[in-house]
Amino acid sequence: MADDVWNFSPGPAILPRAVLEGAGDAVHEIGGSGMSILEISHRSRWFDEVIDEAEQGIRELLAVPDGYQVLFLQGGASLQFSMVPGNLRRNDAGPPSYVVSGSWGSKALAEARAAGDVRVAWDGAGTGYDRVPAPSDVALEVDPSYVHMTSNETIEGVQWPADRTPNAPAQAPLVCDMSSDLLSRPADIGRYGLVYAGAQKNAGPAGVTIVLLRDELLDAIPEGNPAMLDYRTHVRSGSRYNTPPVFAIYVVSLVTRWLRTEVGGLGVMAARNEEKAQLLYEAIDGSEGFYRGHAQPDSRSRMNITFHLPDEDLGSAFLDEAGRAGLLELKGHRSVGGLRASIYNAMPVEGVRALRDFMETFRRDHAGSHPSRTATTSG
């Protein structure tokens, strides 16, 4: 990323400068091998070191308890939408339950339905996915095969608080899509039976998917799954049943090293992310309705700040002027419109301050031309 450009892309997302420099060096040669990271075998000792560091970095940062596998797969979270029901649905339990708090949870639900019966424990579509549910709103059955949730919805800008998850029955594993907030804050992995995340937000580049899986779930996987869609295949092969995304896993190892040695861990990272998010939410809340946030205050994402302006013309002007100021990739998802600032781990506070200052200047310059549309914020 150039010094005069701030990339607010929802993914693939900004990477730390130290990681980019390390990846660039490895493209020329890795570990005294005389070969590029793009050329080494996935069964070489050089890659053994890469995948071991990536795994150990994840285990250390997330304090992963004993009894969990760490897998590096392909296909993104979208493939996990199918792998989860294919591996965790059980004949001795009821259909899985899905708590749907946004567009990605809805996509996961659709894939689960393609595999069989599903129960919907809660769906926020009725209010435009502007919040996560209160615990009392989630109607879980007593015997689901598993309970599925999405911790952060990038499109709507909705995130579960770190200390709140659905109260899954004791025998039902809680499954969480953490694609957009894994490694952004501490997480109690012991709450979950399975966690999955496409890496391209906070953990690395597109091309690798991280899966944390409790060992005891392996014994209940039904027979008959295609080999590539069976978690046991990847456990037995150490994530190398076929050629894995070597370069993407290497970048994950560099990201975990950066978080451990330069940032100081996920507690420090979470505080940084909170500070960045608050800068933008304060600008929205203090705009007298010029900027209207989408998510309810108690469900706001620290990763994706979503908001609207009074009309589409102003939104287009905002994007044009922001682009000329070096503030890029701020357009909201096509399904909801508006604006979206994604401020993942590698976005420094300086970039967020630059956006905050631009928002205040833009409002000052344009609010007077739309006085009738300025009203109290809705969240």
Side-chain angles (χ1 to χ4, degrees), residues 209-293:
T209 306
I210 298 165
V211 174
L212 311 179
L213 173 65
R214 190 182 295 150
D215 286 344
E216 64 190 49
L217 298 181
L218 296 169
D219 296 334
I221 293 175
E223 298 299 328
N225 283 329
M228 281 292 290
L229 302 182
D230 192 316
Y231 290 123
R232 295 171 299 186
T233 300
H234 303 288
V235 170
R236 288 193 291 262
S237 64
S239 298
R240 283 175 272 192
Y241 176 73
N242 68 328
T243 305
V246 171
F247 181 69
I249 295 172
Y250 178 67
V251 178
V252 171
S253 75
L254 295 181
V255 169
T256 63
R257 187 188 304 173
W258 173 74
L259 284 167
R260 288 182 290 113
T261 62
E262 295 192 34
V263 174
L266 297 190
V268 176
M269 193 74 256
R272 288 188 189 179
N273 288 331
E274 178 70 23
E275 177 189 2
K276 293 185 296 183
Q278 286 306 116
L279 286 171
L280 298 185
Y281 286 126
E282 287 170 3
I284 292 169
D285 292 342
S287 71
E288 298 181 338
F290 186 76
Y291 299 115
R292 294 172 289 109

Side-chain angles (χ1 to χ4, degrees), residues 1 5-10 12-15 326-329 342 347:
M1 184 179 69
V5 168
W6 301 109
N7 176 14
F8 294 93
S9 170
I14 181 175
L15 286 164
L327 305 166
L328 306 182
E329 301 291 341
S342 297
M347 172 59 69

Side-chain angles (χ1 to χ4, degrees), residues 96-306:
S97 288
Y98 277 64
V99 182
V100 183
S101 54
S103 297
W104 292 111
S106 181
K107 289 179 182 293
L109 173 64
E111 290 298 302
R113 280 180 167 154
D117 291 340
V118 180
R119 294 168 178 157
V120 179
W122 184 83
D123 192 332
T127 58
Y129 295 124
D130 66 347
R131 64 185 178 92
V132 299
S136 59
D137 293 337
V138 180
L140 292 173
E141 303 289 340
V142 297
D143 65 340
S145 293
Y146 61 87
V147 177
H148 184 280
M149 63 175 289
T150 307
S151 57
N152 182 74
E153 288 283 359
T154 60
I155 292 175
E156 292 82 11
V158 168
Q159 186 177 31
W160 287 77
D163 59 353
R164 199 161 107 213
T165 58
N167 295 318
Q171 76 279 10
L174 181 60
V175 176
C176 189
D177 176 359
M178 289 191 187
S179 290
S180 50
D181 60 0
L182 186 77
L183 300 183
S184 73
R185 61 185 183 181
D188 184 0
I189 298 300
R191 290 182 181 178
Y192 306 95
L194 189 152
V195 168
Y196 63 90
Q200 66 272 15
K201 314 293 187 181
N202 291 300
V208 61
T209 306
I210 298 165
V211 174
L212 311 179
L213 173 65
R214 190 182 295 150
D215 286 344
E216 64 190 49
L217 298 181
L218 296 169
D219 296 334
I221 293 175
E223 298 299 328
N225 283 329
M228 281 292 290
L229 302 182
D230 192 316
Y231 290 123
R232 295 171 299 186
T233 300
H234 303 288
V235 170
R236 288 193 291 262
S237 64
S239 298
R240 283 175 272 192
Y241 176 73
N242 68 328
T243 305
V246 171
F247 181 69
I249 295 172
Y250 178 67
V251 178
V252 171
S253 75
L254 295 181
V255 169
T256 63
R257 187 188 304 173
W258 173 74
L259 284 167
R260 288 182 290 113
T261 62
E262 295 192 34
V263 174
L266 297 190
V268 176
M269 193 74 256
R272 288 188 189 179
N273 288 331
E274 178 70 23
E275 177 189 2
K276 293 185 296 183
Q278 286 306 116
L279 286 171
L280 298 185
Y281 286 126
E282 287 170 3
I284 292 169
D285 292 342
S287 71
E288 298 181 338
F290 186 76
Y291 299 115
R292 294 172 289 109
H294 177 76
Q296 296 297 320
D298 65 348
S299 299
R300 285 171 162 173
S301 172
R302 270 55 186 163
M303 299 283 95
N304 313 96
I305 286 72
T306 54

Side-chain angles (χ1 to χ4, degrees), residues 317-335:
F318 184 100
L319 290 171
D320 288 344
E321 294 183 27
R324 291 196 293 272
L327 305 166
L328 306 182
E329 301 291 341
L330 287 164
K331 187 175 182 179
H333 191 271
R334 60 187 178 277
S335 64

Side-chain angles (χ1 to χ4, degrees), residues 343-360:
I343 52 172
Y344 301 118
N345 284 355
M347 172 59 69
V349 69
E350 291 80 9
V352 179
R353 287 187 183 128
L355 175 57
R356 186 270 316 273
D357 293 346
F358 172 82
M359 290 171 66
E360 293 179 350

